[in-house]
Amino acid sequence: MKGTLLVLALLVTGELGFKTAEACPAFYGIFSLLALGNKQLLDISLDLVNATKPEKAGFEKLQACYNERGVKAKLLDLKALSSITLSKECISSALNMVKNDVKQRLSKLNPLGR
């Protein structure tokens, strides 16, 4: 199970071609369904992000690991994910991304202004 979270994050943000901000809801949705252990719900969520058959197979293998390791493994990953997501660095980075995105969108609305 080591590296499961990293592999999942790379698949969601890299292989599926999302921008980071767009990947967050998909990442948390897929991660929670992955840990839940229901293959049908996982397949539905992967269809929503246009996952390929090899990507789906990879996620199903991850889900099988979660199901094999049980509740303890799921809770440990939840703890790790929460500590990363709620860290000062992560929150600061997310706020900076939102701030920069807002500035960029506002500058497009008023191209002649400062």
Side-chain angles (χ1 to χ4, degrees):
M1 284 273 283
K2 289 184 179 179
T4 301
L5 186 60
L6 177 61
V7 170
L8 180 61
L10 290 174
L11 282 171
V12 172
T13 58
E15 290 296 320
L16 298 179
F18 284 107
K19 294 180 186 176
T20 306
E22 294 169 346
C24 280
F27 172 78
Y28 286 108
I30 291 171
F31 182 79
S32 60
L33 291 172
L34 188 74
L36 185 62
N38 186 307
K39 183 185 178 306
Q40 289 78 21
L41 291 176
L42 179 64
D43 284 341
I44 291 168
S45 68
L46 291 173
D47 286 339
L48 293 173
V49 294
N50 300 319
T52 64
K53 286 184 181 183
E55 290 167 339
K56 285 182 180 182
F59 280 106
E60 288 172 8
K61 287 180 183 179
L62 289 172
Q63 191 173 56
C65 288
Y66 272 108
N67 290 339
E68 181 182 307
R69 300 295 295 176
V71 174
K72 184 177 179 181
K74 293 176 185 183
L75 291 175
L76 288 173
D77 271 358
L78 176 63
K79 183 178 178 180
L81 183 64
S82 298
S83 68
I84 293 168
T85 305
L86 299 175
S87 71
K88 290 180 183 179
E89 295 85 3
C90 188
I91 292 172
S92 175
S93 175
L95 289 174
N96 284 335
M97 283 184 356
V98 169
K99 182 178 156 184
N100 291 336
D101 190 40
V102 168
K103 282 183 180 179
Q104 185 179 14
R105 290 175 192 253
L106 288 175
S107 70
K108 287 181 182 179
L109 292 174
N110 189 8
L112 299 177
R114 291 184 177 216

